[in-house]
Amino acid sequence: QFSGIGRLKPGVSAEAAQRELAAIMLEFPSKLSNAYTKEFLKSFNFRIAVVPLRDEVLGPKLSKALWLLFGSVGLVLCIAFANVTNLFLVRMETRRRESAIRTALGADRAQMAFHFLAESMLLALVAGIGGLVIAQVGLRVILRIAPTDIPRLATVSLDGTSVTFALALTVAAGIALGLLPLARTGVDLATLREGARGVTASAAQRAVRGGLVIGQVALALMLLAAGGLMLRSFANLQAVKPGLDPRGVLTFTTILDGAVPSAAELPAILRQFQLRVAGLPGVVQVGASSSLPLQDYGSGCTGVVREGQSIDGVRKGACIATPSALPGFLESLGIRVEPGGRMPVWTDFDDTDKNATVAVITRALANDLWPNEDPIGKGILIGDRHNMRLSYRIIGVIPELRAKGLDQPPTEAVFSADFMSEPVWTVKVASGTAVQLLPSIRKVLHELAPRAPLVNARVMTDVVARSTARTSFVMTLLLIAATTALLLSAVGIYGVISYLVTQRRSEIGVRLALGARAPQVAALVLGQTMRLTIAGVVIGLAGAFAGMRMLRTLLFEVSPTDPLILAGTSAVLLLIAAAASLVPTRRAARIDPVEAMRSS
């Protein structure tokens, strides 16, 4: 596997470059016949893949995750706007008499528009500035919990563009809400005659308010379902066993290439370094490999066939990781082999015939090469550009290892007993903090190879945590958005139901005077709340079934339409709606019928 970087000409897409390079690849057998034959290209499914650098750096999932979060913020904004719109509709009803008096005294529509716009814009701007302050504080918190491997995330700030965007939305919302009272035309003389008593909202206005509540619930359900799916996916990831034990393991890389007198002295230096580090206090096991599980694992791969099998036996598209490993590497990570096998030892490295060295393979690869057979003692051939020539004798099988990621299938890999010039070391300690050994380890390295740097030191638990850090980060932000949406919906339901109870106060008083009992009144109010909520839940479920499929690539072992998650989020919303209507319902049940009819 070879990687290269190139800049495309202006106007040339990655797909166009892919087609052009694919055509060039077809000429390999004629121009590079010693390295690439038609049989090689066909058997190994050799191909050239052009990937935008942004996708290569960010990964295949992060871009989708960021768009998902952006959409979640948009849904929360819609819920908040629906909430505020409902409050403004209520406020508009309470000020009908004031509007009628202003109009009757000669105020024209322009003057009324200026009056309402001034009020709404003042409220919107104050709220917008407060929102920016909260955003600044929240951004600092988010950056503290964010994974460090997301490029340029640390540079994110509330710059001029984001502030302008937020203020533009604020102004647009203020204008829309300020113009809302002008939707009513004409002077309502009944309002003046009756002194604003007994005047109720029209059927259209009640329908608008109910529709806004339904929309809030529907959007909240979609966000809550997305958060629930990510939470369950993350729980599934946490339950996956990587096949290794990261506890008490320190890992670091030593770059010996160019730092040792000659390549012939490399084996002796590696062995001496391992022995001296193993003698440090508290060290249980020391090993090294050319690649560390869960950290850019398998960047190089090749084809693998059984000994005696032709190149045509390579599974199409298969590219097996073949890291080198020193004795002690697998043991330091708590990786075991199945009964009947063994780990590499230093005597395996004493054989100068590199065509007969030993290797440990994973069960996933063993099942592919020797289904229902014992692979111990059998041979494999590793492919290079010319032919299948490097031979390894199997001495052990790892039951299961997920070295490429917890969300990936069990890894197919060959750990060969070979030396490497840039070993990734793993040091297992009995107790305490493994990082405390770094000064002593640096001293040992300096004594053996003074020019060799020690880089990328970290504990293995951080490596494992980092492999799920992005999923955890996306899940956290999505749950924050879902919780915010849930709270806004609860506040919206409470506000609308409270106003409806106040508006129907005289009606409830008449019902009580005619013999209705308090539980019947409470059921009336609660029923109105639950009808709106159930309608929102039904619409939200339809939206979830249609929209949650875009989460498929971000989920692990959970369906985007998981019935348990959708049923659970629906039940949560129904309970929240019932709780939000509890206070208005109790208030309605305690209305004094005589006082209610006297004030009507």
Side-chain angles (χ1 to χ4, degrees):
Q1 179 174 325
F2 302 95
S3 300
I5 298 177
R7 182 178 295 277
L8 299 178
K9 293 181 179 179
V12 178
S13 64
E15 291 76 13
Q18 173 79 52
R19 291 191 296 268
E20 186 174 349
L21 289 174
I24 294 175
M25 186 193 71
L26 296 178
E27 301 177 8
F28 282 8
S30 60
K31 295 185 177 181
L32 302 169
S33 57
N34 292 333
Y36 301 97
T37 63
K38 290 183 179 180
E39 292 75 17
F40 176 84
L41 297 179
K42 179 180 178 181
S43 298
F44 282 94
N45 193 27
F46 191 87
R47 62 193 184 278
I48 296 177
V50 178
V51 180
L53 184 59
R54 180 187 60 185
D55 295 344
E56 182 69 19
V57 173
L58 297 180
K61 296 182 179 181
L62 184 59
S63 180
K64 291 184 179 180
L66 293 178
W67 280 111
L68 172 66
L69 294 174
F70 183 78
S72 302
V73 172
L75 291 181
V76 172
L77 183 63
C78 290
I79 294 174
F81 186 75
N83 219 343
V84 176
T85 301
N86 249 331
L87 294 176
F88 264 76
L89 286 173
V90 170
R91 189 165 178 266
M92 185 176 68
E93 289 300 318
T94 60
R95 299 182 64 183
R96 288 177 63 182
R97 187 166 183 269
E98 174 192 340
S99 300
I101 292 175
R102 288 178 179 273
T103 303
L105 293 177
D108 56 20
R109 294 185 65 81
Q111 292 173 321
M112 294 292 291
F114 179 80
H115 173 72
F116 288 121
L117 278 174
E119 289 186 351
S120 64
M121 287 301 299
L122 179 61
L123 293 173
L125 288 175
V126 172
I129 293 173
L132 288 175
V133 174
I134 295 175
Q136 179 65 30
V137 176
L139 182 60
R140 293 180 179 178
V141 175
I142 289 173
L143 291 179
R144 286 183 178 273
I145 65 173
T148 57
D149 62 339
I150 299 180
R152 302 180 65 182
L153 185 62
T155 63
V156 174
S157 62
L158 287 180
D159 56 8
T161 302
S162 54
V163 171
T164 302
F165 178 75
L167 290 179
L169 287 179
T170 300
V171 171
I175 293 175
L177 295 173
L179 295 178
L180 194 61
L182 299 180
R184 183 188 291 112
T185 58
V187 179
D188 191 351
L189 296 179
T191 304
L192 295 175
R193 288 196 304 269
E194 298 170 16
R197 292 192 306 172
V199 181
T200 60
S202 65
Q205 291 169 335
R206 290 195 298 270
V208 169
R209 277 202 297 270
L212 290 173
V213 172
I214 292 172
Q216 284 180 286
V217 173
L219 294 177
L221 186 141
M222 294 175 65
L223 272 178
L224 201 61
L229 289 171
M230 290 299 296
L231 183 61
R232 185 170 182 184
S233 181
F234 184 73
N236 291 341
L237 271 178
Q238 294 296 97
V240 170
K241 302 299 182 182
L244 55 85
D245 184 4
R247 295 171 297 180
V249 177
L250 172 68
T251 176
F252 55 89
T253 302
T254 57
I255 303 177
L256 301 175
D257 190 16
V260 295
S262 65
E265 298 183 38
L266 178 63
I269 291 178
L270 289 173
R271 193 163 187 173
Q272 283 297 315
F273 182 77
Q274 184 191 46
L275 289 173
R276 294 183 60 176
V277 172
L280 295 176
V283 175
V284 176
Q285 194 63 256
V286 181
S289 174
S290 59
S291 184
L292 185 68
L294 301 177
Q295 178 181 288
D296 300 326
Y297 185 82
S299 57
C301 57
T302 185
V304 176
V305 296
R306 301 190 306 269
E307 189 176 31
Q309 187 180 23
S310 68
I311 191 175
D312 295 331
V314 176
R315 176 160 39 91
K316 186 175 182 181
C319 198
I320 310 302
T322 56
S324 303
L326 296 182
F329 173 73
L330 299 176
E331 295 93 326
S332 65
L333 290 177
I335 299 174
R336 300 289 182 260
V337 294
E338 296 177 355
R342 67 175 179 87
M343 296 291 191
V345 294
W346 277 107
T347 54
D348 295 322
F349 290 76
D350 295 335
D351 189 354
T352 57
D353 182 8
K354 302 308 292 183
N355 289 327
T357 189
V358 299
V360 174
I361 65 173
T362 57
R363 170 50 60 186
L365 179 59
N367 289 340
D368 178 66
L369 295 179
W370 298 282
N372 303 318
E373 294 183 36
D374 184 7
I376 301 299
K378 293 183 171 60
I380 57 174
L381 301 177
I382 304 297
D384 64 3
R385 293 187 303 167
H386 303 282
N387 49 44
M388 310 298 288
R389 62 181 179 84
L390 298 180
S391 175
Y392 294 93
R393 193 66 54 191
I394 306 303
I395 61 171
V397 178
I398 300 170
E400 182 172 314
L401 180 65
R402 296 178 186 263
K404 294 184 178 180
L406 298 182
D407 59 343
Q408 299 296 317
T411 306
E412 295 183 342
V414 178
F415 291 91
S416 60
D418 287 311
F419 297 108
M420 69 292 298
S421 60
E422 294 187 10
V424 182
W425 295 90
T426 49
V427 180
K428 173 79 171 182
V429 297
S431 61
T433 305
V435 179
Q436 296 176 348
L437 292 173
L438 268 178
S440 300
I441 293 174
R442 291 184 187 274
K443 181 179 179 181
V444 172
L445 179 63
H446 181 74
E447 293 173 355
L448 294 174
R451 295 187 298 166
L454 187 154
V455 298
N456 204 21
R458 64 181 67 184
V459 292
M460 195 63 195
T461 50
D462 288 346
V463 175
V464 176
R466 186 176 180 181
S467 66
T468 59
R470 290 189 178 185
T471 301
S472 175
F473 181 60
V474 173
M475 177 204 70
T476 301
L477 295 184
L478 200 55
L479 287 178
I480 291 175
T483 304
T484 304
L486 195 63
L487 292 175
L488 288 174
S489 298
V491 171
I493 292 172
Y494 172 81
V496 170
I497 299 303
S498 293
Y499 178 71
L500 290 177
V501 168
T502 302
Q503 198 177 52
R504 299 178 64 179
R505 183 180 177 85
S506 58
E507 173 197 339
I508 293 173
V510 172
R511 289 177 180 270
L512 291 172
L514 293 177
R517 292 177 297 174
Q520 293 175 314
V521 173
L524 176 69
V525 177
L526 184 61
Q528 187 174 18
T529 303
M530 300 313 293
R531 282 195 297 272
L532 295 175
T533 306
I534 291 173
V537 166
V538 171
I539 296 174
L541 286 174
F545 271 102
M548 290 301 115
R549 300 186 188 277
M550 68 179 64
L551 289 176
R552 188 179 300 276
T553 58
L554 301 176
L555 301 177
F556 178 71
E557 294 185 354
V558 59
S559 169
T561 55
D562 184 79
L564 182 63
I565 296 296
L566 295 179
T569 52
S570 300
V572 168
L573 273 172
L574 291 173
L575 289 175
I576 292 295
S581 63
L582 181 61
V583 173
T585 299
R586 293 182 61 187
R587 187 185 304 151
R590 295 177 178 180
I591 288 177
D592 185 349
V594 176
E595 182 181 346
M597 288 187 292
R598 184 184 299 120
S599 60
S600 62

